[in-house]
């Protein structure tokens, strides 16, 4: 309900939670047609902010900005459905170094790629997702200005009962299918947390890992 409220009212927000808890799935359910930027260490800047080209290699004149693929796709969707709120989903935002996080500063702060380029359509809602350092050894701290700029922060906790209630809903894929197969739901309902999520230790990696996926 919180996610739907923020999206319907055009408010940016960030989802926090452990890996596998369903952050991306929740956005997919709210906007099945969302456009995403999946950050990774070493990502090329032009994948996020586009690039400037200079015809005939003449850098003495103004270059031509070439937008990234996600921006073109997003603008097309927004133009086709101007009455609908479209989600720009920035995933893994805390799992990259600050230098990569800085690529999306302007998107979150000013709803644009840069000062004079790449303004987001008015019906775009910026949503991000990431882990805290306590939840993932791969996570980095988020700079305070970026954290504060989101209109809201939603923290997802592990809850077997809620997960089973969610899993008992229709999947929307026909044939009366549920989101979670009843045999799986019964198994998790019987054994609870011990089969729902397992901890991870990078010093002594386990032989297997369990999460809600």
């Amino acid at each position: 309900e919180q996610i739907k409220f923020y999206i319907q009212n055009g408010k940016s927000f960030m989802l926090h939670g452990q890996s596998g808890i369903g952050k991306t799935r929740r956005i997919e359910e709210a906007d099945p047609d969302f456009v995403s930027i999946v950050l990774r260490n070493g990502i090329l800047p032009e994948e996020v902010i586009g690039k400037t080209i200079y015809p005939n290699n003449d850098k003495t004149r103004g270059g031509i900005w070439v937008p990234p693929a996600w921006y073109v796709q997003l603008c097309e969707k927004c133009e086709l459905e101007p009455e609908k709120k479209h989600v720009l989903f920035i995933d893994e935002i805390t799992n990259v170094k600050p230098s990569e996080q800085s690529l999306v500063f302007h998107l979150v702060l000013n709803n644009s790629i840069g000062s004079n380029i790449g303004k987001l359509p008015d019906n775009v809602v910026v949503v991000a997702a990431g882990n805290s350092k306590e939840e993932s050894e791969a996570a980095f701290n988020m700079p305070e200005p970026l954290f504060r700029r989101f209109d809201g922060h939603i923290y997802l906790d592990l809850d077997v009962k809620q997960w089973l209630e969610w899993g008992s809903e229709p999947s929307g894929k026909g044939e009366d299918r549920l989101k979670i197969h009843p045999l799986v739901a019964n198994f998790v309902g019987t054994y609870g947390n011990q089969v729902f999520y397992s901890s991870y230790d990078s010093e002594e990696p386990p032989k297997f890992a369990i999460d809600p996926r």
Side-chain angles (χ1 to χ4, degrees):
E1 291 178 358
Q2 283 181 300
I3 290 172
K4 290 180 180 178
F5 172 83
Y6 279 113
I7 292 176
Q8 290 171 358
N9 288 277
K11 302 295 184 180
S12 65
F13 63 94
M14 179 173 173
L15 289 176
H16 301 259
Q18 293 172 285
S19 175
I21 202 171
K23 298 184 290 294
T24 302
R25 179 64 180 267
R26 289 170 190 264
I27 299 303
E28 184 179 27
E29 290 185 346
D31 179 12
D33 206 28
F34 72 88
V35 174
S36 66
I37 303 173
V38 181
L39 297 179
R40 66 182 188 279
N41 287 315
I43 190 171
L44 297 174
E46 54 261 37
E47 295 180 59
V48 180
I49 62 175
K51 61 183 179 180
T52 301
I53 62 173
Y54 297 89
N56 302 319
N57 293 321
D58 184 2
K59 294 187 178 182
T60 62
R61 300 183 180 183
I64 300 173
W65 178 63
V66 179
W70 68 261
Y71 181 77
V72 175
Q73 182 184 11
L74 183 64
C75 289
E76 289 176 350
K77 292 179 184 293
C78 290
E79 185 176 355
L80 286 173
E81 299 177 294
E83 303 302 319
K84 177 187 174 182
K85 297 293 185 184
H86 291 269
V87 170
L88 172 61
F89 185 48
I90 305 173
D91 202 6
E92 307 289 359
I93 193 170
T94 54
N95 283 4
V96 296
K97 299 174 182 177
S99 57
E100 272 77 28
Q101 289 186 32
S102 67
L103 293 173
V104 299
F105 259 42
H106 237 284
L107 287 171
V108 179
L109 294 173
N110 300 306
N111 281 359
S112 67
I113 290 178
S115 301
N116 302 309
I117 57 171
K119 182 183 182 304
L120 297 181
D122 292 335
N123 55 330
V124 168
V125 182
V126 178
V127 180
N131 313 109
S132 69
K133 295 187 73 173
E134 291 74 27
E135 296 166 337
S136 172
E137 295 183 3
F140 294 84
N141 289 328
M142 175 179 283
E144 182 179 352
L146 182 59
F147 182 91
R148 289 185 180 276
R149 184 57 183 84
F150 288 101
D151 293 312
H153 290 268
I154 299 175
Y155 294 83
L156 304 179
D157 294 321
L158 294 171
D159 189 310
V160 173
K161 183 179 178 181
Q162 275 192 351
W163 187 81
L164 291 173
E165 290 176 354
W166 168 82
S168 65
E169 298 172 356
S171 66
K173 297 181 179 179
E175 300 180 4
D176 298 323
R177 290 177 60 185
L178 304 180
K179 291 179 179 177
I180 301 297
H181 193 285
L183 290 177
V184 176
N186 288 337
F187 180 71
V188 174
T190 300
Y191 294 100
N193 283 329
Q194 61 179 307
V195 298
F196 192 60
Y197 204 95
S198 62
S199 58
Y200 180 79
D201 184 349
S202 62
E203 298 296 328
E204 297 182 14
K207 294 182 179 179
F208 58 85
I210 305 170
D211 69 37
R213 287 175 291 198

